[in-house]
Amino acid sequence: GAGQVINVAERHLETALPKVGGSCIVLSGNHKFSKGRLLERDSKKNRGVVQVFEDMSLVTTSLDDMAEWCGPLDDDLED
């Protein structure tokens, strides 16, 4: 049923989360497509703190709104 699909999705998302200290990309909000380093991760609160490479600002975002970034850090996604 639908419950199984949701469980698979959550497991899949969990493996895609960056590790603390790893490169990640913000997927929504004011900093959409900003790449940075994950400084903190709180799975219980579903929050992460990302330091954006471009201006070194700190962004707190939902873990759902970030993903591990494996590509080049100087890639411009907004073409």
Side-chain angles (χ1 to χ4, degrees):
Q4 286 175 305
V5 174
I6 291 170
N7 288 338
V8 170
E10 283 177 1
R11 269 207 308 280
H12 178 70
L13 285 172
E14 185 64 30
T15 61
L17 280 175
K19 296 176 182 67
V20 170
S23 296
C24 61
I25 183 165
V26 179
L27 300 175
S28 70
N30 294 342
H31 291 81
K32 189 171 185 176
F33 298 146
S34 292
K35 289 174 284 289
R37 178 167 285 115
L38 185 61
L39 298 185
E40 292 175 35
R41 181 173 150 188
D42 187 333
S43 297
K44 289 193 179 77
K45 293 181 181 168
N46 192 33
R47 285 273 177 268
V49 178
V50 178
Q51 185 166 32
V52 176
F53 290 132
E54 192 174 39
D55 59 5
M56 300 317 258
S57 62
L58 298 181
V59 178
T60 301
T61 184
S62 156
L63 296 178
D64 298 329
D65 290 339
M66 68 172 70
E68 191 169 8
W69 178 252
C70 302
L73 293 172
D74 56 0
D75 228 26
D76 188 0
L77 296 180
E78 297 184 59
D79 287 339

